[in-house]
């Protein structure tokens, strides 16, 4: 019996010794690979890393480094294959997940752009029914560049009209900016560009819509700053002076977007993308420290501003002319705290618009602002939102033929509603039918409290 135990122990020691030797040899190859990577000798780095993996097939860090080496060498398909192997590992640490997400970003961007090219759909705001090559009215250009200053590149889509209006003030095209959040394209700005307009983006995450160039701005210009709290560009009423704009460092301007959106160019742009630093990866914080008294105070400020409204409210409604006259308080984001819903009298229209305010990081933001005149707002139990138009309300949508609509989903990662789908063709599709089957928690009829000092104090005491 003692002899058997001795043999078993000797065998265990032998295995342990072999394991230690393998670990030492693997470590040697890793150090060599890191040296080769610094020297940009990717071929030798890949050889060394594959040897390290043979010796330590369960070491995730070795695979991560190999995926990075393949990417730096331009071998994206091989990098993707390595990342698939990493995905099969159980119990990845937070750091390993962050590195995986950073290395996987190129493939996420490629999937988004390739899907857009094949389907004409991206981020809800562009929803062309067909492939991009079938949209004969427009030419689609694109660029991948960091305009928000967070180290992660955004997708810029320039939809340029093939039939430019004769009027120099006429619309030339649309510029869409998408941030990739949790593997989805989320629109953070949508700009209409006239024939004589251009967009210039600066390194401080701002951009300006101008005529001419920075050396000779002609007339009025609009200035926007990026709000990181809700991942959105917002109009800034206090435009910097021309000299202040000239001192800013430019990232790029819209006139430089000349890459036609097709599969070949997508591959080239993805290949040229920088590998994201894992420390720059977006991580949502589900914990919220909410001061109810501060929430009430901020909502009071919004309502009193509307009550005393005497002009164009750039802070609250960048494109809506008109003041709010009714409100409601209801948790429509699912965080357990009431949000503020406003009914806005849209000037020069017979229909109203709606806005939803919520408190994010101690400030009140408009997290859904439907600037176009609409007929009704329906917020469902899952916090998705249907905006109706054409003079039709919720009852019309559930009892009659389909009408045009905008459909939003609440994204808790960026604390605002994002457009999921829009339909202006009154299409009788299954998508809308499934939406209106949901149970509503609030409709426009519930936004019925008059904005008066008495009601403000009563509802937010």
């Amino acid at each position: 019996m003692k002899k058997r135990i001795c043999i078993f122990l000797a065998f265990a020691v032998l295995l342990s010794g072999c394991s230690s030797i393998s670990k030492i040899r693997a470590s040697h190859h890793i150090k060599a690979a890191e040296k080769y990577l610094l020297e940009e000798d990717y071929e030798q780095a890949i050889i060394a890393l594959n040897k390290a993996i043979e010796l330590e097939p369960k070491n995730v860090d070795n695979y991560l480094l190999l995926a990075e080496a393949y990417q730096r060498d331009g071998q994206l398909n091989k990098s993707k294959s390595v990342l698939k192997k990493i995905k099969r590992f159980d119990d990845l640490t937070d750091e390993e997940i962050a590195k995986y997400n950073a290395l996987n970003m190129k493939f996420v961007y490629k999937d988004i752009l390739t899907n857009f090219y094949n389907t004409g759909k991206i981020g809800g705001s562009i929803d062309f029914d067909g492939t991009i090559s079938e949209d004969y009215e427009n030419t689609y250009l694109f660029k991948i560049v960091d305009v928000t200053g967070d180290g992660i590149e955004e997708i810029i889509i320039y939809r340029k009209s093939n039939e430019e209006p004769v009027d120099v003030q006429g619309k030339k095209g649309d510029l869409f900016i998408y941030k990739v959040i949790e593997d989805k394209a989320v629109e953070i700005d949508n700009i209409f560009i006239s024939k004589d307009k251009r967009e210039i983006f600066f390194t401080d995450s701002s951009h300006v819509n101008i005529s001419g160039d920075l050396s000779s701005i002609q007339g009025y210009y609009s200035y926007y700053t990026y709000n990181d709290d809700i991942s959105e560009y917002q109009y800034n009423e206090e435009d910097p002076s021309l000299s202040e704009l000239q001192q800013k460092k430019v990232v790029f301007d819209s006139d430089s977007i000349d890459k036609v959106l097709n599969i070949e160019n997508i591959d080239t742009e993805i290949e040229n993308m920088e590998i994201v630093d894992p420390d720059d990866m977006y991580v949502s914080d589900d914990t919220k420290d909410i001061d109810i008294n501060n929430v009430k105070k901020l909502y009071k400020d919004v309502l009193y501003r509307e009550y005393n409204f005497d002009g164009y409210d750039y802070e609250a409604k960048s494109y809506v002319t008109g003041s709010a006259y009714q409100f409601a308080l209801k948790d429509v984001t699912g965080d357990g705290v009431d949000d503020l819903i406003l009914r806005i009298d849209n000037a020069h229209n017979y229909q109203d618009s709606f806005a939803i305010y919520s408190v994010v990081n101690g400030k009140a933001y408009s997290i859904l602002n439907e600037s176009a005149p609409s007929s009704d707002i329906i917020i469902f139990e899952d916090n998705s939102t249907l905006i109706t138009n054409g003079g039709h309300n919720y009852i019309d949508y559930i009892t009659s033929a389909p009408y045009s609509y905008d459909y939003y989903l609440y994204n808790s990662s960026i604390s605002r509603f994002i457009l999921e789908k829009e339909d202006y063709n009154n299409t009788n599709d299954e998508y809308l039918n499934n939406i209106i089957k949901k149970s509503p928690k609030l409709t426009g009829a519930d936004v019925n409290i008059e904005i008066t000092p008495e009601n403000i104090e009563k509802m937010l005491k």
Side-chain angles (χ1 to χ4, degrees):
M1 183 68 177
K2 286 182 179 180
K3 187 176 181 180
R4 286 186 181 178
I5 293 173
C6 289
I7 292 172
F8 175 79
L9 289 174
F11 184 65
V13 169
L14 180 62
L15 286 178
S16 176
C18 291
S19 175
S20 298
I21 292 170
S22 295
K23 191 171 184 179
I24 292 169
R25 291 174 62 192
S27 176
H28 171 76
H29 289 304
I30 291 298
K31 287 178 181 179
E34 289 172 342
K35 174 178 173 291
Y36 289 132
L37 285 172
L38 287 173
E39 296 171 351
E40 298 185 1
D41 187 347
Y42 302 123
E43 183 180 351
Q44 290 301 318
I46 289 166
I47 291 172
L49 286 165
N50 276 311
K51 288 180 179 179
I53 287 173
E54 286 179 12
L55 293 164
E56 279 194 302
K58 295 184 179 180
N59 190 320
V60 177
D61 288 337
N62 296 347
Y63 288 93
L64 288 166
L65 208 54
L66 179 60
E68 180 180 346
Y70 276 131
Q71 283 197 27
R72 293 193 184 281
D73 196 40
Q75 300 187 59
L76 294 185
N77 287 336
K78 288 188 176 180
S79 178
K80 189 170 187 177
S81 177
V82 175
L83 290 172
K84 285 182 178 178
K85 292 178 182 178
I86 295 171
K87 196 71 174 175
R88 299 190 193 111
F89 279 86
D90 296 325
D91 301 324
L92 293 175
T93 66
D94 290 343
E95 183 179 358
E96 289 166 347
I97 291 171
K99 288 180 179 178
Y100 170 87
N101 288 336
L103 290 166
N104 196 46
M105 282 294 281
K106 285 191 176 186
F107 305 109
V108 170
Y109 279 63
K110 184 173 181 178
D111 288 346
I112 289 170
L113 286 167
T114 303
N115 182 68
F116 175 45
Y117 179 76
N118 290 328
T119 67
K121 294 173 174 54
I122 182 171
S125 49
I126 304 180
D127 195 355
F128 178 72
D129 190 17
T131 66
I132 292 303
S133 59
E134 294 173 334
D135 187 359
Y136 305 113
E137 296 179 2
N138 300 288
T139 296
Y140 290 85
L141 308 173
F142 78 110
K143 191 175 184 70
I144 301 175
V145 58
D146 177 19
V147 293
T148 61
D150 62 359
I152 300 176
E153 293 168 305
E154 280 73 47
I155 297 172
I156 315 294
I157 302 292
Y158 183 15
R159 182 172 61 189
K160 187 176 181 180
S161 173
N162 293 333
E163 300 177 0
E164 295 182 7
V166 176
D167 181 4
V168 295
Q169 297 296 328
K171 191 173 77 172
K172 178 173 65 176
D174 310 300
L175 196 70
F176 299 87
I177 308 173
Y178 296 96
K179 175 169 280 297
V180 177
I181 298 174
E182 296 176 349
D183 297 352
K184 290 187 66 175
V186 175
E187 185 188 330
I188 61 175
D189 201 10
N190 179 12
I191 309 160
F192 299 114
I193 303 180
S194 300
K195 283 188 69 175
D196 63 341
K197 291 281 188 178
R198 69 197 301 186
E199 285 292 330
I200 298 180
F201 292 79
F202 304 104
T203 54
D204 63 358
S205 308
S206 64
H207 72 81
V208 64
N209 178 270
I210 65 171
S211 296
D213 55 41
L214 288 175
S215 64
S216 59
I217 294 180
Q218 304 160 12
Y220 176 78
Y221 55 89
S222 302
Y223 182 67
Y224 300 83
T225 53
Y226 181 68
N227 186 326
D228 189 53
D229 283 342
I230 55 175
S231 299
E232 186 177 56
Y233 275 101
Q234 296 182 322
Y235 181 81
N236 193 318
E237 186 177 6
E238 298 180 2
D239 292 338
S241 65
L242 175 56
S243 62
E244 289 174 325
L245 286 175
Q246 290 171 338
Q247 291 172 17
K248 291 178 180 288
K249 188 175 180 181
V250 175
V251 177
F252 88 103
D253 69 60
S254 55
D255 285 354
S256 70
I257 305 178
D258 57 3
K259 189 82 68 176
V260 176
L261 184 73
N262 57 40
I263 297 300
E264 182 181 351
N265 286 338
I266 289 172
D267 288 343
T268 301
E269 289 297 295
I270 295 299
E271 208 170 294
N272 292 333
M273 281 180 67
E274 293 291 330
I275 296 176
V276 177
D277 186 333
D279 292 336
D280 291 331
M281 293 296 296
Y282 182 88
V283 179
S284 75
D285 183 6
D286 295 330
T287 61
K288 289 187 178 181
D289 185 14
I290 300 174
D291 182 345
I292 296 298
N293 290 327
N294 186 51
V295 170
K296 291 180 179 179
K297 177 185 178 301
L298 291 169
Y299 288 166
K300 280 185 180 182
D301 291 343
V302 172
L303 289 169
Y304 275 115
R305 185 178 67 222
E306 295 294 334
Y307 178 74
N308 295 309
F309 180 81
D310 59 0
Y312 201 97
D313 193 344
Y314 292 102
E315 180 181 353
K317 302 178 288 292
S318 56
Y319 294 109
V320 178
T321 304
S323 60
Y325 65 97
Q326 289 179 325
F327 73 101
L329 294 168
K330 184 80 172 180
D331 175 17
V332 295
T333 61
D335 63 359
V337 178
D338 280 345
D339 304 289
L340 174 64
I341 302 97
L342 300 180
R343 181 190 296 274
I344 301 164
D345 178 15
N346 201 298
H348 312 301
N349 280 290
Y350 295 106
Q351 301 172 38
D352 293 334
S353 297
F354 295 92
I356 300 175
Y357 280 80
S358 188
V359 174
V360 183
N361 288 340
K363 295 180 181 179
Y365 292 118
S366 177
I367 60 170
L368 185 148
N369 191 359
E370 179 64 21
S371 57
S374 53
S375 303
D376 205 350
I377 183 171
I378 304 102
I379 304 176
F380 301 99
E381 290 292 346
D382 64 358
N383 304 318
S384 64
T385 299
L386 184 71
I387 300 290
T388 73
N389 47 50
H392 302 285
N393 59 24
Y394 173 57
I395 300 300
D396 294 331
Y397 275 71
I398 62 174
T399 59
S400 306
Y403 306 104
S404 57
Y405 63 90
D406 292 327
Y407 183 59
Y408 294 84
L409 298 180
Y410 180 70
N411 188 317
S412 60
S413 296
I414 57 175
S415 301
R416 69 176 170 92
F417 289 87
I418 58 173
L419 183 64
E420 177 72 8
K421 185 176 177 61
E422 60 183 6
D423 186 352
Y424 295 123
N425 299 317
N426 299 348
T427 305
N428 185 9
D429 59 12
E430 194 63 27
Y431 194 91
L432 177 59
N433 292 336
N434 288 330
I435 292 173
I436 59 179
K437 289 177 184 177
K438 297 181 180 182
S439 176
K441 69 163 68 172
L442 177 141
T443 69
D446 299 313
V447 186
N448 55 15
I449 304 171
E450 296 295 322
I451 299 180
T452 65
E454 294 78 15
N455 286 337
I456 293 172
E457 294 299 329
K458 176 183 176 182
M459 298 302 297
L460 293 164
K461 63 182 178 180

